[in-house]
């Protein structure tokens, strides 16, 4: 199961459709709050995570996932329109050290 | 020693605006290119093709609207030298602008009405039309099914008054200070679903400033919002423009 967290409905639908026609099981979430609720119940094999959300910054969300014993080993791919060198470095730092 | 607080704040706002523009432009572009790629490589089931084409069209429309709003704001920042000024009947202008919103009002099941009487002011019709359009468009988008939007235009000794009242979701106190900022959204998910660019109220604010108008916002969450613009009388505006 792959969890996709993306607040833009069209972009989220696109990700889910592509994954599903490629043979993956996928579930989508519009914000960080709903992802965290679901993570309390289910354990996906991968999380695709956007950075800009209305409720919580994607980097903060990544930190929460990395700091929780039950979710710290789930692989996370940051998938965002934010692609500057700064954003990439920040994503890497959060994933590795926070 | 010089106080550079203002300069730093302006620089910070410029950086945030650039980051927001970049993000807001890239998101629909990525979606368009993603759906086009899926269609192109034959991964889309036959029954989904029409829906995907419609999504591309919707995203392209959103992008067009965003680019138009950015250009409009950019022109306003530069002082809009090409604007045509004339004596405008705000009531007639509001009536014409409301006609262009009738389809979206009907789709949202919101009744829009115009009250008041002919009221004249010295202004740029193109810009005033943007003001009415953006205020009423928001009042429709953030309303409820079966809701109302009432546009009122009146003239008195103190000037010309335009108010747009809705029976929508309202805006809590913490957001009221910031809703005229560029790309500030009270509810980002709802704004995107409604097709907003996040720039409409900034355009209203700039246009009001150019016309010397004051903006007043009254809102009660869950009940509705009233935005009122008070334009100074024609003579005063005319003197400040020339």
């Amino acid at each position: 199961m792959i969890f996709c967290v993306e607040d833009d409905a069209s972009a989220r639908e696109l990700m889910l459709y592509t994954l599903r026609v490629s043979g993956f099981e996928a579930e989508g979430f519009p914000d960080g709050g709903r992802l965290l609720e679901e993570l309390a119940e289910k354990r996906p094999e991968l999380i695709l995570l956007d950075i800009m959300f209305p409720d919580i910054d994607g980097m903060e969300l990544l930190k929460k996932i990395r700091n929780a014993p039950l979710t710290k080993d789930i692989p996370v791919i940051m998938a965002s329109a934010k692609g500057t060198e700064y954003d990439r470095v920040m994503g890497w730092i959060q994933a590795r050290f926070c | 020693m010089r106080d550079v607080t203002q300069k730093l704040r302006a620089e910070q706002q410029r950086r945030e605006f650039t980051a927001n523009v970049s993000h807001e432009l890239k998101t629909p572009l990525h979606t368009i290119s993603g759906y086009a790629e899926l269609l192109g490589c034959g991964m889309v089931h036959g029954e989904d093709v029409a829906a995907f084409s419609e999504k591309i069209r919707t995203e392209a429309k959103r992008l067009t609207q965003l680019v138009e709003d950015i250009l409009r704001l950019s022109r306003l920042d530069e002082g809009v030298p090409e604007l045509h000024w004339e004596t405008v009947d705000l009531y007639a202008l509001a009536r014409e602008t409301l006609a262009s919103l009738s389809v979206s009002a009907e789709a949202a099941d919101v009744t829009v009405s115009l009250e008041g009487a002919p009221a004249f002011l010295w202004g740029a019709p193109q810009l005033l039309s943007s003001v009415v359009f953006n205020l009423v468009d928001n009042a429709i988008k953030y309303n409820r099914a079966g809701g109302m939007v009432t546009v009122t235009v009146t003239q008195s000794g103190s000037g010309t008054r335009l108010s747009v009242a809705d029976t929508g979701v309202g805006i809590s106190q913490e957001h009221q200070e910031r809703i005229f900022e560029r790309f500030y959204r009270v509810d980002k998910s709802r704004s995107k679903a409604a097709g907003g660019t996040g720039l409409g109220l900034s355009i209203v604010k700039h246009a009001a400033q150019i016309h010397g108008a004051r903006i007043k916002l009254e809102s009660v969450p869950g009940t509705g919002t009233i935005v009122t613009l008070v334009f100074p009388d024609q003579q005063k505006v005319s003197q400040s423009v020339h």
Side-chain angles (χ1 to χ4, degrees), chain B residues 94-162:
Chain B
R95 193 176 51 221
E96 281 168 24
T97 310
L98 293 188
S100 69
L101 283 159
S102 60
V103 173
S104 54
E106 197 176 330
D109 189 19
V110 171
T111 305
V112 181
S113 61
L114 175 63
E115 293 177 0
F120 297 91
L121 60 93
W122 181 251
Q126 198 188 350
L127 216 47
L128 292 169
S129 183
S130 283
V131 168
V132 176
F133 184 92
N134 281 303
L135 289 177
V136 177
D137 191 39
N138 271 357
I140 293 169
K141 280 176 183 161
Y142 299 99
N143 219 308
R144 54 180 169 77
M148 304 273 293
V149 175
T150 308
V151 181
T152 310
V153 179
T154 54
Q155 194 151 33
S156 67
S158 58
T160 306
R161 183 181 287 259
L162 164 77

Side-chain angles (χ1 to χ4, degrees), chain A residues 24 36 54 56 77:
Chain A
F24 295 100
L36 293 173
I56 182 173
I77 296 175

Side-chain angles (χ1 to χ4, degrees), chain B residues 12-32:
Chain B
Q12 169 76 8
Q13 281 174 347
R14 191 197 60 75
R15 269 204 304 271
E16 281 175 10
F17 180 67
T18 308
N20 274 320
V21 165
S22 162
H23 181 260
E24 297 292 326
L25 289 174
K26 277 181 179 174
T27 302
L29 273 176
H30 283 167
T31 308
I32 289 168

Side-chain angles (χ1 to χ4, degrees), chain A residues 6-8 10-11 13-14 17-18 21-22 30 50 52-54 80-83, chain B residues 20 23 26-27 30-31 34-35 38 43-45 48 52 55 59 62 188-189 192:
Chain A
E6 165 63 61
D7 65 316
D8 186 278
S10 296
E13 280 171 37
L14 174 65
Y17 191 93
T18 310
V21 296
S22 304
D50 188 14
M52 291 171 88
F53 291 114
S80 173
K82 287 187 81 167
Chain B
N20 274 320
H23 181 260
K26 277 181 179 174
T27 302
H30 283 167
T31 308
Y35 279 117
L38 272 185
M43 283 174 79
V44 179
H45 300 306
D48 297 325
F52 278 27
K55 281 184 185 301
E59 291 299 310
R62 177 173 140 192
K188 196 173 167 192
S189 307
K192 282 195 175 173

Side-chain angles (χ1 to χ4, degrees), chain B residues 40-106:
Chain B
C41 68
M43 283 174 79
V44 179
H45 300 306
E47 66 272 20
D48 297 325
V49 170
F52 278 27
S53 303
E54 178 60 23
K55 281 184 185 301
I56 290 174
R57 201 185 67 82
T58 304
E59 291 299 310
K61 196 174 156 193
R62 177 173 140 192
L63 200 53
T64 305
Q65 179 65 47
L66 180 61
V67 170
E68 279 173 4
D69 278 357
I70 291 169
L71 291 175
R72 198 169 288 133
L73 264 178
S74 170
R75 282 196 294 269
L76 290 173
D77 281 342
E78 287 163 14
V80 283
E82 80 277 18
L83 273 182
H84 168 69
W85 289 70
E86 63 184 37
T87 300
V88 179
D89 176 0
L90 194 57
Y91 184 81
L93 180 138
R95 193 176 51 221
E96 281 168 24
T97 310
L98 293 188
S100 69
L101 283 159
S102 60
V103 173
S104 54
E106 197 176 330

